[in-house]
Amino acid sequence: MTRLFNDPAAFADEALEGFAAAHRRWVRPVTGGVVRAAATPAGQVAVVIGGGSGHYPAFSGLVGRGLAHGAAVGNVFASPSARQIHSVARAAHGGAGVLLMYGNYAGDVLHFGQAAERLAADGIDTRTFAVADDISSAGADESAKRRGIAGDLPVFKAAAVAAEQGLPLDEVLRVAERAGARTRSFGIAFSGCTLPGADHPLFTVPEARMAVGLGIHGEPGIGEEALPTADEAARLLVGTLLKELPEDVAAPAGQRAAVILNGLGSVKYEELFVVYREVAALLGEAGVEIVDPEVGELVTSFDMAGVSLTLTWLDDRLEELWQAPADTPAYRKGALDAPDPADDRAPGTVPAPHSADVQEAAPPPASDASREAAATVLAALDAVARVVGTHADELGRIDAVAGDGDHGIGMRRGSTAARRAATEAHGLGAGAGTVLARAADAWADKAGGTSGALWGTILRSLGTALGDRDAPDARRVADGVTEASAAVRRLGGAEVGDKTMVDVLVPFADALAAATAEGLPLTAAWDRAAATATAAAAATADLLPRRGRARPHAEKSLGTPDAGAHSLALITRAVHGALLEHH
């Protein structure tokens, strides 16, 4: 468990602050993460990586020459927000474009995709690439659905070295694609991890058993086996990976591979070395030439007791990139020339603001009617934060059945931040639209992950519909909810039946639209729609998840409602209470 922390909600921010203070030779802090201490050379593609906290040395520890130009760092096990990624990428940009790289998780895909759109709007040429190396999370025929774990390192490194060699953006992307296609990982664990401030791990493993094919966010394994000896663990890891080779590798004999035996947080280095001796022997017997192996903690999961094995099957080009020197706070290889002065700035780079919570000092002009409506919006957001806080533990337990158990934590962070931002905006005289827009940004920033992106989208859609000029009526609110429903489906790609919040959002939006079309006032229409939402959330218990972190454990979730659907239903009922009090 994590023993040293202050406010658990501030853990990730304080850890990043301390990391940057301890490693000034390599990095400097910017809003949302860190970039190299020296600016990206003019004309060089910037490789910006990122993901949630709790995985050190990924992601901030991999920033430096020979590896990433910057890292966007989210909250614990939650992707950074689009705004944070955008900030880091602008600070790292050297004038030749940006490649955004991350593990293949729904929240990261959403936020990095949104950030890429914002960067493109700024005139910065941007590409994205998701590492998907974990063979336990999807079959070979669905490799695009696999999650990214310790295979992040060789893929990030290949792209970053290619960028430093002066390749243009599309060529750097092709290198990343080549490395990703030739990288496979598989992991086992003996106990789950416990987040700061939590009193129990995200999952448990029975005595004398191990979880097989777990995730790095506390997702349980896809199965359990008897606790192995070190040699038995090595045979399982190697044997599993040798069963699935890249399409252009016919057999392991005669092949070269970069090998990473990764500790997930609590397995000691000596234990890793005992396992690696057998890993090396087994690969040698299979005819595999090992190139520059790495044994240690490279992508962790707080205090999880477990290990993963990664093989990147090398060709001449990938071997050159893997063996290239690197100098970062947590990963060093070979020798590099003396670095450029840290205060050199590349032409065209833009320094980031100093606070992730920067907002406009004065909101846009608003009518008296909209400012009055903003008070109701604030009351609704306060009700949301209170109901989420009350049910956060319950939401975590539901989420842990087949996912990583952090839905309640993320929702509490997001809703609390949204209420705070809305309070500040309302105090400055903002209208309803601006109050919602600022709450949307705050929710996305502090919650991160899939729910952060989607709730930010919901609030922003409502804010756009309400605006700052007119008094919102029932039809306008219903139109905003309808647009929020459509936007969430566009962004997340889920549809009704996938066992997500969409299973509640769509019928809720439809019911609200129908009720307001009948002429019902907002409170009555919302009441009817909230009842529909409650029933829809309960019905998700009969569904199997087809998206998100719960998908690899679909059968486990049967009989349990989706956490995101349940939280949305709770929120619709809480908002109805706030509407009753203010109408």
Side-chain angles (χ1 to χ4, degrees):
M1 62 182 297
T2 308
R3 297 172 178 83
L4 294 174
F5 55 88
N6 298 307
D7 178 359
F11 183 87
D13 289 340
E14 292 180 349
L16 184 63
E17 182 181 349
F19 163 79
H23 296 100
R24 296 184 189 278
R25 180 165 79 83
W26 291 276
V27 301
R28 58 186 174 90
V30 297
T31 299
V34 294
V35 296
R36 292 185 190 180
T40 300
Q44 185 176 113
V45 171
V47 173
V48 174
I49 64 175
S53 298
H55 304 303
Y56 192 84
F59 295 87
S60 55
L62 304 179
V63 174
R65 292 188 302 155
L67 248 160
H69 296 77
V73 182
N75 221 311
V76 177
F77 290 178
S79 66
S81 70
R83 190 163 61 161
Q84 291 168 322
I85 299 161
H86 175 260
S87 166
V88 173
R90 282 180 61 87
H93 184 226
V98 175
L99 175 59
L100 301 176
M101 302 186 71
Y102 45 92
N104 190 32
Y105 297 90
D108 294 277
V109 172
L110 294 179
H111 286 291
F112 278 89
Q114 289 178 322
E117 293 174 357
R118 296 186 188 186
L119 290 164
D122 292 343
I124 298 175
D125 201 10
T126 307
R127 304 288 184 275
T128 64
F129 183 77
V131 181
D133 58 302
D134 179 15
I135 68 171
S136 68
S137 52
D141 57 339
E142 294 185 305
S143 59
K145 295 181 179 179
R146 289 175 169 173
R147 57 199 175 197
I149 52 175
D152 284 353
L153 173 62
V155 182
F156 292 167
K157 187 173 188 297
V161 175
E164 291 189 338
Q165 291 176 345
L167 270 63
L169 180 57
D170 285 333
E171 288 296 323
V172 174
L173 174 60
R174 275 190 278 274
V175 167
E177 291 170 341
R178 176 70 169 166
R182 283 178 153 248
T183 299
R184 306 284 189 277
S185 298
F186 182 70
I188 58 176
F190 317 109
S191 70
C193 56
T194 304
L195 301 186
D199 57 5
H200 59 275
L202 292 176
F203 73 90
T204 58
V205 180
E207 190 74 22
R209 303 285 289 177
M210 72 172 173
V212 177
L214 64 141
I216 59 169
H217 299 95
E219 305 100 320
I222 59 173
E224 288 181 3
E225 295 186 12
L227 189 68
T229 64
D231 285 358
E232 289 169 344
R235 285 194 285 273
L236 173 63
L237 294 168
V238 172
T240 302
L241 290 180
L242 290 184
K243 289 177 183 177
E244 187 189 311
L245 302 174
E247 290 183 0
D248 55 352
V249 175
Q255 299 294 327
R256 293 161 291 164
V259 178
I260 299 173
L261 184 64
N262 176 61
L264 285 163
S266 290
V267 175
K268 304 304 294 182
Y269 271 70
E270 287 86 348
E271 294 175 272
L272 292 174
F273 292 139
V274 171
V275 175
Y276 183 74
R277 73 181 248 292
E278 182 67 6
V279 167
L282 292 169
L283 289 173
E285 291 171 8
V288 178
E289 178 184 347
I290 297 172
V291 179
D292 282 1
E294 296 286 350
V295 180
E297 294 184 349
L298 295 161
V299 179
T300 62
S301 184
F302 264 117
D303 60 339
M304 184 185 291
V307 299
S308 65
L309 181 66
T310 297
L311 301 180
T312 297
W313 299 93
L314 302 172
D315 55 22
D316 290 344
R317 176 65 169 141
L318 290 177
E319 182 171 354
E320 172 199 352
L321 299 170
W322 175 242
Q323 292 186 306
D327 184 23
T328 78
Y331 183 85
R332 299 166 205 171
K333 177 182 287 189
L336 288 161
D337 295 334
D340 297 328
D343 59 353
D344 280 355
R345 294 209 55 82
T349 56
V350 180
H354 295 293
S355 169
D357 299 315
V358 170
Q359 299 280 11
E360 298 87 351
S367 67
D368 291 342
S370 185
R371 284 196 292 269
E372 183 178 344
T376 302
V377 169
L378 179 58
L381 289 169
D382 178 62
V384 169
R386 284 188 283 109
V387 76
V388 167
T390 299
H391 294 273
D393 290 343
E394 174 195 2
L395 295 173
R397 285 193 297 272
I398 293 173
D399 189 38
V401 171
D404 53 17
D406 68 348
H407 182 69
I409 295 171
M411 289 291 290
R412 180 162 50 198
R413 284 194 301 245
S415 60
T416 301
R419 176 175 60 187
R420 185 183 307 116
T423 300
E424 294 172 357
H426 182 251
L428 293 171
T434 296
V435 167
L436 280 164
R438 295 192 178 182
D441 285 343
W443 194 313
D445 280 353
K446 293 302 181 184
T450 305
S451 68
L454 298 182
W455 273 100
T457 296
I458 290 170
L459 297 184
R460 185 164 288 280
S461 296
L462 282 168
T464 300
L466 268 56
D468 290 331
R469 302 305 306 167
D470 301 319
D473 57 19
R475 290 296 296 273
R476 182 173 293 182
V477 172
D479 288 346
V481 173
T482 297
E483 174 51 35
S485 173
V488 164
R489 281 178 286 165
R490 285 195 304 269
L491 183 63
E495 293 294 343
V496 172
D498 286 344
K499 195 164 187 173
T500 70
M501 70 182 301
V502 167
D503 289 296
V504 171
L505 183 55
V506 169
F508 173 74
D510 291 346
L512 185 62
T516 56
E518 293 175 16
L520 290 181
L522 180 59
T523 51
W526 196 283
D527 183 34
R528 181 190 295 181
T532 300
T534 300
T540 63
D542 299 326
L543 299 175
L544 291 174
R546 297 198 292 248
R547 288 185 173 271
R549 293 180 187 170
R551 181 183 53 78
H553 311 283
E555 296 294 337
K556 289 184 178 181
S557 78
L558 195 61
T560 302
D562 176 69
H566 184 54
S567 62
L568 174 55
L570 291 172
I571 285 170
T572 62
R573 183 52 64 192
V575 170
H576 177 250
L579 292 175
L580 282 175
E581 292 179 6
H582 283 77
H583 278 76

